[in-house]
Amino acid sequence: MIHPSLVRGLRAQLVLVFLLVSVLSAVIAATITFRQGRTAIVARAQADALQDLRAHLASRTPDLPADPTETDLRTLALQLDRAAGIRGWRTALSYRGGPLIATGAQPPLPAQLRTQAATSTTALAQRFHRGQVPWLAVALPVTAAARPQGPPPLVVYASFSLASQQQDVDTLAAAARAGALPVALVAIVPALLAARRLLRPVRRLRTAAERMAGGSLDTRVRVTGNDELADLGRTFNTMAATLQSDAAALRDMEARARRFAADVSHELRTPLAAMSAVTEVIDADATSGRLAPLTAEALQLVSDETRKLSRLVEDLIEVSRFDAGVAVLNVDEVDVGELIGKTLALRHWRDRVRTDVAPGLRARLDPRRVDVILANLVGNALRHGGTAVSVLVQVRADTEQIAVTVSDDGPGIPADLLPHVFDRFTKGDAARTRTDGSGLGLAIATENARLHGGTLTATNAPRGGTILTLTLPRHPP
């Protein structure tokens, strides 16, 4: 039994199908040849027997009386038996429908043959088996010379064994079987060659598809011939050309969109810097108490929105640097604990954030970019964790990497938002407090982590709260 795994490949299936067709063809051809040969052998034996029997009857019936007695018939039967030679037939005669007359035991005769011969005017023959040996029985009506138009008064039966012919048939069957096996074995060679020829274009298509999946959209396959596989190759090339063209158009549109965002951000940077300076004056006036409450509230709102717009522009400029591939690392040997302390102190978070950092832990990092990452992680935890949120920064390290974990005991991140928390312009849902962030902070943190060769992940703690984990190599590339 062939295991299914052995014929799973297209090559094995083609070879197997080819072999099955070859074997089936050989068996059919051998069967037809055998049957035709067997029919020819039997027909030849039957024709020879009838011819010999007719010849012997033609030489002896003229001496037979017009109304022969049983003795005359028995004498004729004896003469015919003696004339059988190597054919060895045994004869019996029936005169005018009477009983069979033979010289010894009556030869085996099928009852159907006797019934048909009683009214027949031509020779009849029927094959039958006696035991395991095939026999042939013939019935030859003999027409009286004096009454050629009347029913034949005498019917001569003869039956003889076809054992010798059966041996010829068995030899023919053995030869047919012996010929089918070499055909099946020889068919393996053309099967392998045909499978190789058919699969060569398929392998080329597979290789081309793998190269395209790897980003080589200029991949094409060499097409030869005009068969179905050639049509498939041409269709593949057309698809690849279309895909390459569409990808180029998309890249061009994306590049133009990025240049537009970067240009707009740069153009807004200068006026926003001036507006930010003005907001300090506005804040002072709004909190001085000299203005009407509504006017002070409006000025405060303008000041807040101006600051948020300034942060958004700065974030967009930073994102454009990553997209343009111009962001670089300026690594230095730093004390991780001191770096985290400076980040918290600079933003007045020391009294709100607990730390767990081994003293003297050092690593080669870009301190500015790590500061941006930590600021975003801790800032998000403080903003979204609630008013009484507790934030903990832990650092664990081994010889290869350090892991900075920022966890809080807030409500956590919604499950549907968790897979997209590091996407650009992703913000918390209504379950969180209103955020004044741009939605780019965690995306920028992710880009900075990737620039170090590290990762940034987010998950919810089993007992509530969010866990943001920054993993960085201690020696970035």
Side-chain angles (χ1 to χ4, degrees), residues 179-204:
L181 181 59
V183 169
L185 295 177
V186 172
I188 295 177
V189 177
L192 291 173
L193 295 177
R196 180 181 179 183
R197 183 178 181 278
L198 289 175
L199 292 181
R200 189 181 299 123
V202 177
R203 284 196 295 268
R204 286 202 296 262

Side-chain angles (χ1 to χ4, degrees), residues 336 339-340 365-366 369-375 377 393-397 401-407 422 442 444-458 467-473:
V336 178
L339 177 60
I340 294 176
L365 305 170
D366 185 331
R369 296 192 181 279
V370 174
D371 174 74
V372 171
I373 298 173
L374 293 175
L377 300 185
V393 179
Q394 290 179 300
V395 180
R396 298 290 181 266
Q401 61 185 13
I402 63 174
V404 181
T405 302
V406 179
S407 58
F422 297 114
L442 291 180
I444 293 174
T446 302
E447 294 292 346
N448 280 312
R450 188 177 297 125
L451 198 61
H452 279 83
T455 60
L456 187 59
T457 60
I467 301 176
L468 300 172
T469 303
L470 169 67
T471 304
L472 298 174

Side-chain angles (χ1 to χ4, degrees), residues 344-367:
L344 299 179
L346 183 63
R347 293 165 178 83
H348 309 289
W349 290 340
R350 271 194 173 280
D351 56 341
R352 302 178 60 186
V353 179
R354 296 177 292 118
T355 60
D356 179 11
V357 186
L361 177 61
R362 304 188 68 81
R364 290 184 58 79
L365 305 170
D366 185 331

Side-chain angles (χ1 to χ4, degrees), residues 180-351:
L181 181 59
V183 169
L185 295 177
V186 172
I188 295 177
V189 177
L192 291 173
L193 295 177
R196 180 181 179 183
R197 183 178 181 278
L198 289 175
L199 292 181
R200 189 181 299 123
V202 177
R203 284 196 295 268
R204 286 202 296 262
L205 284 173
R206 183 191 63 185
T207 303
E210 290 175 348
R211 293 183 59 186
M212 288 193 66
S216 301
L217 299 182
D218 58 343
T219 302
R220 302 292 185 273
V221 295
R222 182 170 58 87
V223 179
T224 57
N226 294 305
D227 55 8
E228 288 79 0
L229 289 175
D231 293 339
L232 180 60
R234 281 188 281 270
T235 302
F236 177 87
N237 288 339
T238 301
M239 179 197 68
T242 303
L243 186 61
Q244 184 181 19
S245 176
D246 292 345
L250 288 175
R251 283 196 297 269
D252 182 63
M253 293 173 61
E254 186 178 4
R256 281 185 291 169
R258 289 174 177 173
R259 285 197 300 270
F260 175 77
D263 292 343
V264 170
S265 300
H266 281 286
E267 290 299 325
L268 289 175
R269 194 176 194 180
T270 301
L272 282 174
M275 292 174 64
S276 296
V278 174
T279 56
E280 296 179 2
V281 178
I282 293 176
D283 287 341
D285 291 341
T287 57
S288 64
R290 296 190 302 269
L291 301 177
L294 291 178
T295 303
E297 183 178 356
L299 291 177
Q300 189 65 48
L301 179 61
V302 170
S303 177
D304 292 342
E305 295 301 325
T306 301
R307 279 193 291 270
K308 289 184 346 184
L309 183 58
S310 297
R311 285 196 295 272
L312 174 60
V313 169
E314 292 297 331
D315 289 345
L316 287 174
I317 292 175
E318 185 70 7
V319 168
S320 67
R321 292 195 186 98
F322 286 113
D323 292 342
V326 298
V328 296
L329 280 180
N330 294 311
V331 296
D332 194 6
E333 185 82 14
V334 299
D335 186 296
V336 178
E338 291 181 0
L339 177 60
I340 294 176
K342 290 180 180 178
T343 299
L344 299 179
L346 183 63
R347 293 165 178 83
H348 309 289
W349 290 340
R350 271 194 173 280
D351 56 341

Side-chain angles (χ1 to χ4, degrees), residues 34 37-38 40-46 48-49 86-87 134-136 160-172:
F34 165 73
R38 182 183 62 180
I41 290 174
V42 174
R44 180 63 178 273
Q46 175 181 329
D48 291 345
I86 58 174
R87 207 175 302 281
W135 281 65
L136 178 65
F160 56 95
S161 171
L162 294 176
S164 60
Q165 287 79 8
Q166 182 63 40
Q167 292 179 356
D168 296 338
V169 172
D170 294 341
T171 303
L172 181 62

Side-chain angles (χ1 to χ4, degrees), residues 110-120 124 157:
Q112 183 181 2
L113 179 65
R114 288 203 59 189
T115 303
Q116 294 177 351
T119 56
S120 176
L124 300 175
Y157 295 96

